[in-house]
Amino acid sequence: MTEPRSDAELYRIKFVRRLPESLAELAGPEHGVVDLPSHVAWSGVTSYDLDQPRQRMALYNTVLHEGMRADLVAYLNRDFLIAQWPILRKLAGRTVRGVWEEAFPELKDAL
């Protein structure tokens, strides 16, 4: 018989299942205004200007926490994610940060 999983483990698994196979899949836009769908930005701001650093960071934080695999691929940009990971990792929750850094060592290398 299998032991029931803890809430923390189930929370972590949720993020692991959403990860892309590789960072190369992240082909999101580099500039312009992005309107996130309601299943990602379900509370508050839904439109982000990627040319405004604070708005870009807010979009990335929202997508990292709320996005499904297709959203991660559509809205996150590989080069920006790696370049800004030292800052983004401080905004991301511990679980999200841990899952991404375990799956993609190049993020830890950017530190």
Side-chain angles (χ1 to χ4, degrees):
M1 187 165 155
T2 314
E3 287 288 319
R5 296 184 176 188
S6 70
D7 288 346
E9 187 178 357
L10 291 172
Y11 187 64
R12 185 179 184 290
I13 290 168
K14 172 179 88 166
F15 291 110
V16 169
R17 289 182 176 160
R18 296 176 180 184
L19 291 174
E21 293 294 319
S22 77
L23 293 183
E25 290 181 50
L26 303 179
E30 295 179 32
H31 302 283
V33 175
V34 173
D35 294 313
L36 293 178
S38 60
H39 71 272
V40 177
W42 49 269
S43 174
V45 177
T46 59
S47 186
Y48 299 84
D49 184 346
L50 297 181
D51 296 313
Q52 301 296 319
R54 285 185 180 202
Q55 288 187 38
R56 183 185 288 241
M57 292 301 231
L59 175 135
Y60 272 66
N61 194 42
T62 299
V63 174
L64 286 169
H65 282 86
E66 305 297 336
M68 301 305 289
R69 183 182 306 232
D71 302 312
L72 299 171
V73 170
Y75 298 113
L76 302 182
N77 178 280
R78 176 199 173 276
D79 293 338
F80 180 81
L81 182 72
I82 292 171
Q84 295 301 311
W85 188 251
I87 297 168
L88 281 166
R89 72 182 307 273
K90 294 175 185 174
L91 300 173
R94 181 181 312 167
T95 303
V96 170
R97 179 176 57 242
V99 164
W100 278 80
E101 288 180 351
E102 285 174 27
F104 307 112
E106 57 264 56
L107 294 175
K108 285 183 94 170
D109 294 342
L111 299 178

